[in-house]
Amino acid sequence: MQISTLSQSLAMRQSINDMRAQFDDLQRQLSTGLKTNSYAKLGTDRNAVLSVAHQLSQLSTYTSTITKTGMRIEVMADALTRMNSIASETKTTLASSGFELVNGKQTSAQIQAAMQFDEMVNLLNLNVEDRYLFGGRDTQTRPVALPSAILNGADGKAGLKQFIAERALADLGADGLGRLTLGTAGATVTLGEDAAPSVFGFKLANVNSTLSNATVTGPAGAPPALDVEFTGLPQMDEKIEIGLAMPDGTTTLVTLKASTNNPAGKGEFTIGADANQTAANFQAALDQAIGLEARTTLKAASAVAASNDFFDYVAGGAPQRVDGPPFETATGLRDATDADTVFWYRGDLSGTAGNNFVAQIDDGRQLAYGARTDQDAIRNMVKMSAMLSAVEYTDAEDKEELASYKALSNRVTQTLNFKGVQSLESIVTGLGLAASTLKQTQDRHDLVMASANELLGDIQNADPYEVGVKLTTLQTQLQASYQVTAMLSRLSLVNFI
C-alpha cells in the first residue's frame, strides 16, 4: 500500500479550508439572513438588485416628502376649520346680542371679535418645522403683523383705527352731509355732489318720484346733481326716493313723503302754503334725512371702506390712505408707506394666492398645495374681525349709534356668508383633496415598495432552513475530514510493519 504523499496531504488541507470557508459563510447567512455581503457575488442578479434598490431609495424620498406635506396640509386645514368656526360664532353672536356697551365703548360681540382676531393672527402665524405655513413661498417671514399693531399702529405708524377715523372724516365731510351739497332757489331744491370730484361720501345713484306738481331731473351733469322743482303742491303721502351709493359699494335710499303734519315727522316733509314754502320744507327735511343717513349707514360703510383700504393692498400696491389733512375736504387717496403705516401682511405676494407650495411625490409628478393669508376668504375673515374690534361707540342709548352698529353688523354678516365668493370651506376642501391625493399616492408607493422588497428578498435573502441543512451536512463532512487527517498524521513505516 502507498503511503500518502505530500501533495495529497496538501490537497486535503485545502479541501478542509474550503469547507471551513463555506461553513463560515453559511454561519454568516444564518446570522444576517443574506446570501452574500456584496452585490458582486450576486452574479447575474446584481443589476436587478441595484435597479430595485434605486427604486426603493426614490420611493423612500417620495414617502418622506408625502409625510411632511401631509402634516403641513393637516395643520393648515385645522387652522382654517377653526377660522370657519369663528366666522359662524361671530354671525351668531351678532344676531343674538344687543347694543349694550360692556366696557363703555364696545358690545360683547365686538369684545369677542377682538379675542378671536388675536386667535386668528396666531393661527396664520403658525410655524411648523421652522417654516411659516400661511405666507406662501416666503416661509421664513412671519406673515401677519401682531394684533395690537394692526389695530392701534406701532412705532408711529398708523393702524386700522386711524384709517377708520380719517376715512370717516373724509366720507362725512365738514357739514356731515356725506359730501353732498343742498340748496334752494325759489321753488327748486338742488342736491349735488361735491364741486371737487372725490372718492368719498355719497354719490347720487338714482331718483324715483311720485310727487305731483313737481318736476324731478337728474342726477346729471358734472358734478352730478338732481333738481326737484315744485310747480304746485304735492298730494298727501306722495313720495320721492333718492338712491345714494356709498364707498363700500352698497346703496341706501332716502325717502321723503309729503305730509300735512307740521312739524313733519321722520321721513316726511310738510306741504306748504305754496310751491316756495313747500320747497323750503322739503329742503329742511332732506337735510335732516341725509344727515341721519350719513351718521348711521354711511358711517358703517365708511368703516368698511377704510378696512378695504387697509387690508386689500395685497391685491397689488400699497394700503390706501386719505390724502390729508385736512381730511374733511380731501378728494383722493394716496399710497401708504412703510414709514407711516403698518403693513398687516408681510408674506409672499407673487403669483396667485394659494397652492404656492410644490411637493415632488412621484416620478414626474408634483402636487401644488397650500393656503395663503392674502386669499380672499382668509383676508375677508381677518378684515371683518379686525373692523369689529376697531370700531367704538359712546352711548348705548343713542339711536343713531344703534343704527350705525346694526348697519355695520349687517355688513359683517353678509361678508362672512361668503355668498358667490371664495369661502374658507372651499379652501379647506381644496386642502382635503390634496391630502387625498397624497394618501392615494402613498398607498401606491406602499404596494410598489412591498413588491420590490419581496423581489429583493427572493434574490438576497438566505433560506434559514436550507442554510441549516447545509450547515449540518458540512459540519459532518468537516468532522470526517478532520478524523481522516488525524489518522494520516499518525501513520509511519513502523506502525505499518
Side-chain angles (χ1 to χ4, degrees), residues 90-108:
T90 300
K91 290 187 292 183
T92 299
T93 304
L94 287 174
S96 59
S97 62
F99 187 59
E100 295 79 18
L101 301 181
V102 177
N103 58 1
K105 297 182 294 184
Q106 294 182 313
T107 66
S108 58

Side-chain angles (χ1 to χ4, degrees), residues 349-388:
L349 286 172
S350 63
T352 303
N355 292 342
N356 298 110
F357 297 138
V358 178
Q360 186 80 34
I361 60 174
D362 204 347
D363 290 339
R365 187 178 185 192
Q366 295 179 326
L367 175 69
Y369 70 97
R372 208 168 73 185
T373 299
D374 61 317
Q375 284 180 263
D376 290 346
I378 300 175
R379 187 178 73 251
N380 283 336
M381 183 67 226
V382 173
K383 184 198 306 180
M384 291 299 102
S385 291
M387 183 179 69
L388 270 179

